[in-house]
Amino acid sequence: MGGLVQKVKLFGEYIPWFQAMRDKGAITFDELGLPTPKTEAWKYTKLRDLNTDDLVIEPSNFLSEMRVTAEEACGCHHEDGGCGCHHHHGKGCCCGHHHEEGDCHCHEEGHVCECRQKLQVPFDAYVIHFEKGKMIPPFPDFPRGVEVMNLMEAVITEDAKEYLGKVADIKLHPFAALNNAYMEEGIYLCVHKNVKVDKPIVLINHTKSGEENIFFNIRNLIVLEQGAEAEFVEWYNYTGAVKSRYFANLVNEIVLGKNAKLSHYKLQDEAFKANHIALSVVKQKADSNYHNFCLQRGANIGRNEVKVLLNDENASAEVNAAYIMSGWATLDTTTDILHLSPRTYSSQLVKGVVGGEAKGVFQGKIHIAQDAVQTEGKQLHRALLLSDTAEIDVKPELEIFADDVKCSHGAASGELDENQLFYMQSRGIGREEAKQILIDAYLNEALAKVKNPEIRAWLSDYAHAPQE
Amino acid sequence: MNSQKPEIIDESGDKYKYGFVTDIAADSAPKGLNEDIIRFISQKKGEPDWLLEFRLKAYEFWKNMKEPTWAKLNYDKIDYQDLSYYSAPKQKVAPKSLDEVDPELLQTYEKLGIPLKEQEVLAGVVAVDAVFDSVSVATTYRQKLAEQGIIFCSISEAVKEHPDLVKQYLGSVVPYTDNFFACLNSAVFTDGSFVYIPKGVRCPMELSTYFRINAKNTGQFERTLIVADDESYVSYLEGCTAPQRDENQLHAAIVEIVVNKNAEVKYSTVQNWYPGDKDGKGGVYNFVTKRAACRGENSKVSWTQVETGSAVTWKYPSCVLQGDNSSGEFYSVAITNNHQQADTGTKMIHIGKNTTSKIISKGISAGFSNQTYRGLVRVAPKADNARNYSQCDSLLIGSHCGSHTVPYVENRNKTAKLEHEATTSKISDEQLFYCEQRGIGEEEAVSLIVNGFCKEVMQHLPMEFAIEAAKLINISLEGSVG
């Protein structure tokens, strides 16, 4: 197992129910092991390049903060003065920095947090920053009815106890089991009954060049109570020229109450040597709506898996995605939509552009349980191959146990239409430019599914063709 | 090998001495599978050494293989040591007249429109005659065919009469290492047919195993080998169109087809083995490996299948499109009712340039049955301009059945154009209402709609098959409505 299984001291070992979950995660991962090409769910995404031997898990911030706080040596400006940081010193400082080294540069006078300065979210939003999988305070001020904590805080207050670890079934997902074992970083987001959040909540994880061989886990728990509405954006960002190698293992557990509506967007823009494996599991109650869009454009192995359980009547989900890649990457989009009640609806549109020696993988599954009559499930995957060495592997799957349903799926792949290129060239558009226009138009169909126009524009900027 | 041989014969002779004394016993080997049994089969059939060696190698390999579990099938574990690997395990006492035949069976024949004489043959009343009949039929055909150089005989005969051809092609499309059931078949296959169409010959008639397989009751491990040489054509029919109450537990067959330059092979199957009773008891386990290799340029192969029988079906007729411009087609109708399970589909492997393939699969599930379409379309890096179109439609009748679609599409060439579509639906109440309004009964209306649903596939069946197959569909769906 190499560097995936390590002995690290994490915060919260004294909380029995929580530590039990971590232990179970470790045991389950040990039992399941890493997926092999024979594992059906990982048939096409080969993990042989994962190379986990030299991966390092950085020491827990929570523990180091506690130690430092006890010695009253925290040099941070926690009082005020713009920091606005909600540091809970009694429970363990959640500031993402190693204070014992005395170099908390972010909050020193004259310094503006470097990471935040670099990246501007081009739309009005509540932004939460992470660095290398560890949260950097402060939190923005959220309006009433929106509760955001770091995960450990929610564990201590037991706010997270009801759902944490109960949405994602770790027996089916080895990497989720591994994530369980290292559960510590992440956020707990709860939107109270009938509260509509006015701006998107954005979680940015920054990784910089030179940060080699780090292995980090993030676990987010998102709960929307009855009638609540929110937009949640995940942005995995990498800056720097040197291609670092690191491994991000992420799990989101999402619970939507009756009539709740969540729009969930994601931009995966990791370093080209990094590996990014993410799982989102969504449990939906009656009349709720889950709207998901993920754009993947980075990483060596990038996998975004979305599993939606439509548990009650009239729940609906829309899971769309796009991927664009070149180089050696493998980008995997896996969906699993389970229609477990009558009159549930789902639709999926996934489009991809694959160049270089890259490999695009799409595995989509629609499951309709026996009593889930009058349901509708739609799925479409289309991919463009740009080079002779690119590869696309698709497995759209229907599993239907009820007769009164409408279900369809489609998959197609091919290259750019020579006639269309010729048409544009004959009108004075250069071949390369014409290609670009066609690729943009191709992906646009999927991007058009993004409801929020500002977020759509932001994602569109990233959805450009890879350089050949 | 040679020095060992007498010793082993002695040994087996010793072991089975009593078993082999009488004629009847001599035709069936004791239960179980081991090297001796394989030597016994080979010896009984008077096979040459190379074939025995082939069988033993397969058996050796099979011993270390595991039964596949990936299919969406749920059946009792098969005890491979509890089967008899030579001859039919059960000696049936032939009924003396039609009065003694199961009336249910007769009813079915009537619905299929099979004339009385044939009914007698099928029910085994005049079993001896039937054997003679079909043999003589085969013989007349054989002479006629031989005039053109076509070889059509059982594979055991072919081993003796045309050893070079068999040796050249046997196992060349489906090697014994291919899969668990193919490997088992390679070790113990008992009979099957061999077809060779020489260069430039268009086979003047449809070749069929219809009577031969039925009457002779050969069966658990058939092996068919078809070789179509350059610029030849043959249409081959397999299976039985009348339900045979076969209680054999396991069928593991292999069909290998070799298609050379500019040649074309059409292979049609109507499979209607015993599907088990209404509660899912009994029935045939049908594990079949069928593969065609389009070796030459412009070669063409087309699989058409109508699957209505068997308790468990595991079958993926495949095309390996090696030659440039070769093409493969797969048309399938699968109907499952009661507790039947079918996991079936196809594989299209595009290797040559400009290869095309087409998949039309129609699945109808009723009762408590479960059906899976599992298909693979793979385009190799050098298969420029490969083209595939797949369409899988499922129809569900009743709320306890399941229908699943698992297509795998692997594209490694940018010039390839691949399309896959699948839909699932039920017979809409409007359609039924429309028919009923016009005086068509419910059951009749369902069969009308189902036949319309399957039409695209049925039209690829040879004429005489198509009519019976359409009737078969109606019978299979009996009792699924209302």
mmCIF file with all atom_site columns, all heavy atoms in Angstrom, chain A residues 400-418:
data_model
loop_
_atom_site.group_PDB
_atom_site.id
_atom_site.type_symbol
_atom_site.label_atom_id
_atom_site.label_alt_id
_atom_site.label_comp_id
_atom_site.label_asym_id
_atom_site.label_entity_id
_atom_site.label_seq_id
_atom_site.pdbx_PDB_ins_code
_atom_site.Cartn_x
_atom_site.Cartn_y
_atom_site.Cartn_z
_atom_site.occupancy
_atom_site.B_iso_or_equiv
_atom_site.pdbx_formal_charge
_atom_site.auth_seq_id
_atom_site.auth_comp_id
_atom_site.auth_asym_id
_atom_site.auth_atom_id
_atom_site.pdbx_PDB_model_num
ATOM 1   N N   . ILE A 1 400 ? -32.551 -1.856 -14.787 1.00 0.00 ? 400 ILE A N   1
ATOM 2   C CA  . ILE A 1 400 ? -33.947 -1.468 -14.628 1.00 0.00 ? 400 ILE A CA  1
ATOM 3   C C   . ILE A 1 400 ? -34.790 -2.629 -14.117 1.00 0.00 ? 400 ILE A C   1
ATOM 4   O O   . ILE A 1 400 ? -34.825 -3.702 -14.718 1.00 0.00 ? 400 ILE A O   1
ATOM 5   C CB  . ILE A 1 400 ? -34.491 -0.940 -15.977 1.00 0.00 ? 400 ILE A CB  1
ATOM 6   C CG1 . ILE A 1 400 ? -33.695 0.315  -16.342 1.00 0.00 ? 400 ILE A CG1 1
ATOM 7   C CG2 . ILE A 1 400 ? -35.966 -0.613 -15.882 1.00 0.00 ? 400 ILE A CG2 1
ATOM 8   C CD1 . ILE A 1 400 ? -33.831 0.729  -17.764 1.00 0.00 ? 400 ILE A CD1 1
ATOM 9   N N   . PHE A 1 401 ? -35.455 -2.382 -13.019 1.00 0.00 ? 401 PHE A N   1
ATOM 10  C CA  . PHE A 1 401 ? -36.288 -3.424 -12.423 1.00 0.00 ? 401 PHE A CA  1
ATOM 11  C C   . PHE A 1 401 ? -37.763 -3.026 -12.379 1.00 0.00 ? 401 PHE A C   1
ATOM 12  O O   . PHE A 1 401 ? -38.520 -3.598 -11.624 1.00 0.00 ? 401 PHE A O   1
ATOM 13  C CB  . PHE A 1 401 ? -35.803 -3.732 -11.005 1.00 0.00 ? 401 PHE A CB  1
ATOM 14  C CG  . PHE A 1 401 ? -34.474 -4.437 -10.970 1.00 0.00 ? 401 PHE A CG  1
ATOM 15  C CD1 . PHE A 1 401 ? -33.301 -3.747 -10.754 1.00 0.00 ? 401 PHE A CD1 1
ATOM 16  C CD2 . PHE A 1 401 ? -34.406 -5.807 -11.180 1.00 0.00 ? 401 PHE A CD2 1
ATOM 17  C CE1 . PHE A 1 401 ? -32.073 -4.396 -10.732 1.00 0.00 ? 401 PHE A CE1 1
ATOM 18  C CE2 . PHE A 1 401 ? -33.183 -6.468 -11.153 1.00 0.00 ? 401 PHE A CE2 1
ATOM 19  C CZ  . PHE A 1 401 ? -32.023 -5.762 -10.929 1.00 0.00 ? 401 PHE A CZ  1
ATOM 20  N N   . ALA A 1 402 ? -38.148 -2.019 -13.115 1.00 0.00 ? 402 ALA A N   1
ATOM 21  C CA  . ALA A 1 402 ? -39.558 -1.608 -13.115 1.00 0.00 ? 402 ALA A CA  1
ATOM 22  C C   . ALA A 1 402 ? -39.985 -1.403 -14.550 1.00 0.00 ? 402 ALA A C   1
ATOM 23  O O   . ALA A 1 402 ? -39.184 -1.019 -15.395 1.00 0.00 ? 402 ALA A O   1
ATOM 24  C CB  . ALA A 1 402 ? -39.716 -0.313 -12.329 1.00 0.00 ? 402 ALA A CB  1
ATOM 25  N N   . ASP A 1 403 ? -41.259 -1.663 -14.837 1.00 0.00 ? 403 ASP A N   1
ATOM 26  C CA  . ASP A 1 403 ? -41.639 -1.608 -16.250 1.00 0.00 ? 403 ASP A CA  1
ATOM 27  C C   . ASP A 1 403 ? -42.113 -0.230 -16.701 1.00 0.00 ? 403 ASP A C   1
ATOM 28  O O   . ASP A 1 403 ? -41.882 0.174  -17.822 1.00 0.00 ? 403 ASP A O   1
ATOM 29  C CB  . ASP A 1 403 ? -42.688 -2.675 -16.586 1.00 0.00 ? 403 ASP A CB  1
ATOM 30  C CG  . ASP A 1 403 ? -44.014 -2.429 -15.889 1.00 0.00 ? 403 ASP A CG  1
ATOM 31  O OD1 . ASP A 1 403 ? -44.000 -1.741 -14.849 1.00 0.00 ? 403 ASP A OD1 1
ATOM 32  O OD2 . ASP A 1 403 ? -45.035 -2.911 -16.371 1.00 0.00 ? 403 ASP A OD2 1
ATOM 33  N N   . ASP A 1 404 ? -42.749 0.502  -15.789 1.00 0.00 ? 404 ASP A N   1
ATOM 34  C CA  . ASP A 1 404 ? -43.336 1.762  -16.227 1.00 0.00 ? 404 ASP A CA  1
ATOM 35  C C   . ASP A 1 404 ? -42.326 2.898  -16.109 1.00 0.00 ? 404 ASP A C   1
ATOM 36  O O   . ASP A 1 404 ? -42.454 3.779  -15.266 1.00 0.00 ? 404 ASP A O   1
ATOM 37  C CB  . ASP A 1 404 ? -44.590 2.046  -15.388 1.00 0.00 ? 404 ASP A CB  1
ATOM 38  C CG  . ASP A 1 404 ? -45.398 3.189  -15.963 1.00 0.00 ? 404 ASP A CG  1
ATOM 39  O OD1 . ASP A 1 404 ? -45.003 3.706  -17.015 1.00 0.00 ? 404 ASP A OD1 1
ATOM 40  O OD2 . ASP A 1 404 ? -46.404 3.570  -15.345 1.00 0.00 ? 404 ASP A OD2 1
ATOM 41  N N   . VAL A 1 405 ? -41.303 2.849  -16.922 1.00 0.00 ? 405 VAL A N   1
ATOM 42  C CA  . VAL A 1 405 ? -40.248 3.856  -16.831 1.00 0.00 ? 405 VAL A CA  1
ATOM 43  C C   . VAL A 1 405 ? -39.874 4.338  -18.231 1.00 0.00 ? 405 VAL A C   1
ATOM 44  O O   . VAL A 1 405 ? -40.141 3.669  -19.214 1.00 0.00 ? 405 VAL A O   1
ATOM 45  C CB  . VAL A 1 405 ? -38.973 3.281  -16.171 1.00 0.00 ? 405 VAL A CB  1
ATOM 46  C CG1 . VAL A 1 405 ? -39.260 2.848  -14.768 1.00 0.00 ? 405 VAL A CG1 1
ATOM 47  C CG2 . VAL A 1 405 ? -38.410 2.137  -16.986 1.00 0.00 ? 405 VAL A CG2 1
ATOM 48  N N   . LYS A 1 406 ? -39.260 5.485  -18.249 1.00 0.00 ? 406 LYS A N   1
ATOM 49  C CA  . LYS A 1 406 ? -38.706 5.963  -19.515 1.00 0.00 ? 406 LYS A CA  1
ATOM 50  C C   . LYS A 1 406 ? -37.214 6.131  -19.308 1.00 0.00 ? 406 LYS A C   1
ATOM 51  O O   . LYS A 1 406 ? -36.786 6.954  -18.518 1.00 0.00 ? 406 LYS A O   1
ATOM 52  C CB  . LYS A 1 406 ? -39.318 7.307  -19.876 1.00 0.00 ? 406 LYS A CB  1
ATOM 53  C CG  . LYS A 1 406 ? -40.605 7.172  -20.646 1.00 0.00 ? 406 LYS A CG  1
ATOM 54  C CD  . LYS A 1 406 ? -41.047 8.530  -21.142 1.00 0.00 ? 406 LYS A CD  1
ATOM 55  C CE  . LYS A 1 406 ? -42.533 8.477  -21.448 1.00 0.00 ? 406 LYS A CE  1
ATOM 56  N NZ  . LYS A 1 406 ? -43.180 9.753  -21.269 1.00 0.00 ? 406 LYS A NZ  1
ATOM 57  N N   . CYS A 1 407 ? -36.456 5.356  -19.997 1.00 0.00 ? 407 CYS A N   1
ATOM 58  C CA  . CYS A 1 407 ? -35.026 5.403  -19.785 1.00 0.00 ? 407 CYS A CA  1
ATOM 59  C C   . CYS A 1 407 ? -34.305 5.364  -21.106 1.00 0.00 ? 407 CYS A C   1
ATOM 60  O O   . CYS A 1 407 ? -34.683 4.614  -21.994 1.00 0.00 ? 407 CYS A O   1
ATOM 61  C CB  . CYS A 1 407 ? -34.599 4.169  -19.012 1.00 0.00 ? 407 CYS A CB  1
ATOM 62  S SG  . CYS A 1 407 ? -34.157 4.569  -17.365 1.00 0.00 ? 407 CYS A SG  1
ATOM 63  N N   . SER A 1 408 ? -33.268 6.127  -21.214 1.00 0.00 ? 408 SER A N   1
ATOM 64  C CA  . SER A 1 408 ? -32.496 6.041  -22.446 1.00 0.00 ? 408 SER A CA  1
ATOM 65  C C   . SER A 1 408 ? -31.064 6.436  -22.157 1.00 0.00 ? 408 SER A C   1
ATOM 66  O O   . SER A 1 408 ? -30.795 7.183  -21.230 1.00 0.00 ? 408 SER A O   1
ATOM 67  C CB  . SER A 1 408 ? -33.088 6.968  -23.495 1.00 0.00 ? 408 SER A CB  1
ATOM 68  O OG  . SER A 1 408 ? -32.930 8.298  -23.089 1.00 0.00 ? 408 SER A OG  1
ATOM 69  N N   . HIS A 1 409 ? -30.171 5.901  -22.921 1.00 0.00 ? 409 HIS A N   1
ATOM 70  C CA  . HIS A 1 409 ? -28.814 6.414  -22.864 1.00 0.00 ? 409 HIS A CA  1
ATOM 71  C C   . HIS A 1 409 ? -28.198 6.377  -24.250 1.00 0.00 ? 409 HIS A C   1
ATOM 72  O O   . HIS A 1 409 ? -28.614 5.635  -25.127 1.00 0.00 ? 409 HIS A O   1
ATOM 73  C CB  . HIS A 1 409 ? -27.955 5.705  -21.818 1.00 0.00 ? 409 HIS A CB  1
ATOM 74  C CG  . HIS A 1 409 ? -27.608 4.288  -22.148 1.00 0.00 ? 409 HIS A CG  1
ATOM 75  N ND1 . HIS A 1 409 ? -27.034 3.450  -21.261 1.00 0.00 ? 409 HIS A ND1 1
ATOM 76  C CD2 . HIS A 1 409 ? -27.765 3.581  -23.264 1.00 0.00 ? 409 HIS A CD2 1
ATOM 77  C CE1 . HIS A 1 409 ? -26.840 2.282  -21.815 1.00 0.00 ? 409 HIS A CE1 1
ATOM 78  N NE2 . HIS A 1 409 ? -27.270 2.334  -23.029 1.00 0.00 ? 409 HIS A NE2 1
ATOM 79  N N   . GLY A 1 410 ? -27.236 7.207  -24.419 1.00 0.00 ? 410 GLY A N   1
ATOM 80  C CA  . GLY A 1 410 ? -26.575 7.249  -25.702 1.00 0.00 ? 410 GLY A CA  1
ATOM 81  C C   . GLY A 1 410 ? -25.114 7.546  -25.496 1.00 0.00 ? 410 GLY A C   1
ATOM 82  O O   . GLY A 1 410 ? -24.732 8.182  -24.523 1.00 0.00 ? 410 GLY A O   1
ATOM 83  N N   . ALA A 1 411 ? -24.291 7.066  -26.407 1.00 0.00 ? 411 ALA A N   1
ATOM 84  C CA  . ALA A 1 411 ? -22.872 7.369  -26.329 1.00 0.00 ? 411 ALA A CA  1
ATOM 85  C C   . ALA A 1 411 ? -22.353 7.453  -27.748 1.00 0.00 ? 411 ALA A C   1
ATOM 86  O O   . ALA A 1 411 ? -22.728 6.652  -28.590 1.00 0.00 ? 411 ALA A O   1
ATOM 87  C CB  . ALA A 1 411 ? -22.131 6.286  -25.563 1.00 0.00 ? 411 ALA A CB  1
ATOM 88  N N   . ALA A 1 412 ? -21.532 8.416  -27.990 1.00 0.00 ? 412 ALA A N   1
ATOM 89  C CA  . ALA A 1 412 ? -20.957 8.532  -29.319 1.00 0.00 ? 412 ALA A CA  1
ATOM 90  C C   . ALA A 1 412 ? -19.562 9.087  -29.199 1.00 0.00 ? 412 ALA A C   1
ATOM 91  O O   . ALA A 1 412 ? -19.251 9.838  -28.275 1.00 0.00 ? 412 ALA A O   1
ATOM 92  C CB  . ALA A 1 412 ? -21.809 9.450  -30.184 1.00 0.00 ? 412 ALA A CB  1
ATOM 93  N N   . SER A 1 413 ? -18.713 8.721  -30.105 1.00 0.00 ? 413 SER A N   1
ATOM 94  C CA  . SER A 1 413 ? -17.399 9.340  -30.131 1.00 0.00 ? 413 SER A CA  1
ATOM 95  C C   . SER A 1 413 ? -16.926 9.426  -31.566 1.00 0.00 ? 413 SER A C   1
ATOM 96  O O   . SER A 1 413 ? -17.310 8.638  -32.410 1.00 0.00 ? 413 SER A O   1
ATOM 97  C CB  . SER A 1 413 ? -16.410 8.553  -29.268 1.00 0.00 ? 413 SER A CB  1
ATOM 98  O OG  . SER A 1 413 ? -16.202 7.277  -29.806 1.00 0.00 ? 413 SER A OG  1
ATOM 99  N N   . GLY A 1 414 ? -16.126 10.408 -31.824 1.00 0.00 ? 414 GLY A N   1
ATOM 100 C CA  . GLY A 1 414 ? -15.625 10.595 -33.172 1.00 0.00 ? 414 GLY A CA  1
ATOM 101 C C   . GLY A 1 414 ? -14.637 11.731 -33.191 1.00 0.00 ? 414 GLY A C   1
ATOM 102 O O   . GLY A 1 414 ? -14.200 12.218 -32.149 1.00 0.00 ? 414 GLY A O   1
ATOM 103 N N   . GLU A 1 415 ? -14.266 12.178 -34.376 1.00 0.00 ? 415 GLU A N   1
ATOM 104 C CA  . GLU A 1 415 ? -13.315 13.282 -34.470 1.00 0.00 ? 415 GLU A CA  1
ATOM 105 C C   . GLU A 1 415 ? -14.040 14.520 -34.988 1.00 0.00 ? 415 GLU A C   1
ATOM 106 O O   . GLU A 1 415 ? -15.229 14.475 -35.301 1.00 0.00 ? 415 GLU A O   1
ATOM 107 C CB  . GLU A 1 415 ? -12.152 12.905 -35.384 1.00 0.00 ? 415 GLU A CB  1
ATOM 108 C CG  . GLU A 1 415 ? -12.561 12.626 -36.816 1.00 0.00 ? 415 GLU A CG  1
ATOM 109 C CD  . GLU A 1 415 ? -11.383 12.367 -37.731 1.00 0.00 ? 415 GLU A CD  1
ATOM 110 O OE1 . GLU A 1 415 ? -10.264 12.810 -37.419 1.00 0.00 ? 415 GLU A OE1 1
ATOM 111 O OE2 . GLU A 1 415 ? -11.580 11.728 -38.762 1.00 0.00 ? 415 GLU A OE2 1
ATOM 112 N N   . LEU A 1 416 ? -13.309 15.598 -35.109 1.00 0.00 ? 416 LEU A N   1
ATOM 113 C CA  . LEU A 1 416 ? -13.893 16.824 -35.631 1.00 0.00 ? 416 LEU A CA  1
ATOM 114 C C   . LEU A 1 416 ? -14.333 16.606 -37.075 1.00 0.00 ? 416 LEU A C   1
ATOM 115 O O   . LEU A 1 416 ? -13.665 15.907 -37.838 1.00 0.00 ? 416 LEU A O   1
ATOM 116 C CB  . LEU A 1 416 ? -12.855 17.957 -35.585 1.00 0.00 ? 416 LEU A CB  1
ATOM 117 C CG  . LEU A 1 416 ? -12.569 18.537 -34.204 1.00 0.00 ? 416 LEU A CG  1
ATOM 118 C CD1 . LEU A 1 416 ? -11.388 19.478 -34.283 1.00 0.00 ? 416 LEU A CD1 1
ATOM 119 C CD2 . LEU A 1 416 ? -13.781 19.255 -33.644 1.00 0.00 ? 416 LEU A CD2 1
ATOM 120 N N   . ASP A 1 417 ? -15.449 17.210 -37.407 1.00 0.00 ? 417 ASP A N   1
ATOM 121 C CA  . ASP A 1 417 ? -16.002 17.017 -38.739 1.00 0.00 ? 417 ASP A CA  1
ATOM 122 C C   . ASP A 1 417 ? -15.189 17.788 -39.774 1.00 0.00 ? 417 ASP A C   1
ATOM 123 O O   . ASP A 1 417 ? -15.075 19.007 -39.726 1.00 0.00 ? 417 ASP A O   1
ATOM 124 C CB  . ASP A 1 417 ? -17.460 17.499 -38.733 1.00 0.00 ? 417 ASP A CB  1
ATOM 125 C CG  . ASP A 1 417 ? -18.176 17.126 -40.021 1.00 0.00 ? 417 ASP A CG  1
ATOM 126 O OD1 . ASP A 1 417 ? -17.471 16.864 -41.019 1.00 0.00 ? 417 ASP A OD1 1
ATOM 127 O OD2 . ASP A 1 417 ? -19.413 17.103 -40.010 1.00 0.00 ? 417 ASP A OD2 1
ATOM 128 N N   . GLU A 1 418 ? -14.634 17.053 -40.695 1.00 0.00 ? 418 GLU A N   1
ATOM 129 C CA  . GLU A 1 418 ? -13.776 17.651 -41.721 1.00 0.00 ? 418 GLU A CA  1
ATOM 130 C C   . GLU A 1 418 ? -14.570 18.659 -42.567 1.00 0.00 ? 418 GLU A C   1
ATOM 131 O O   . GLU A 1 418 ? -14.056 19.705 -42.956 1.00 0.00 ? 418 GLU A O   1
ATOM 132 C CB  . GLU A 1 418 ? -13.214 16.523 -42.598 1.00 0.00 ? 418 GLU A CB  1
ATOM 133 C CG  . GLU A 1 418 ? -11.865 16.762 -43.239 1.00 0.00 ? 418 GLU A CG  1
ATOM 134 C CD  . GLU A 1 418 ? -10.805 17.328 -42.304 1.00 0.00 ? 418 GLU A CD  1
ATOM 135 O OE1 . GLU A 1 418 ? -10.466 16.721 -41.282 1.00 0.00 ? 418 GLU A OE1 1
ATOM 136 O OE2 . GLU A 1 418 ? -10.312 18.427 -42.637 1.00 0.00 ? 418 GLU A OE2 1
#
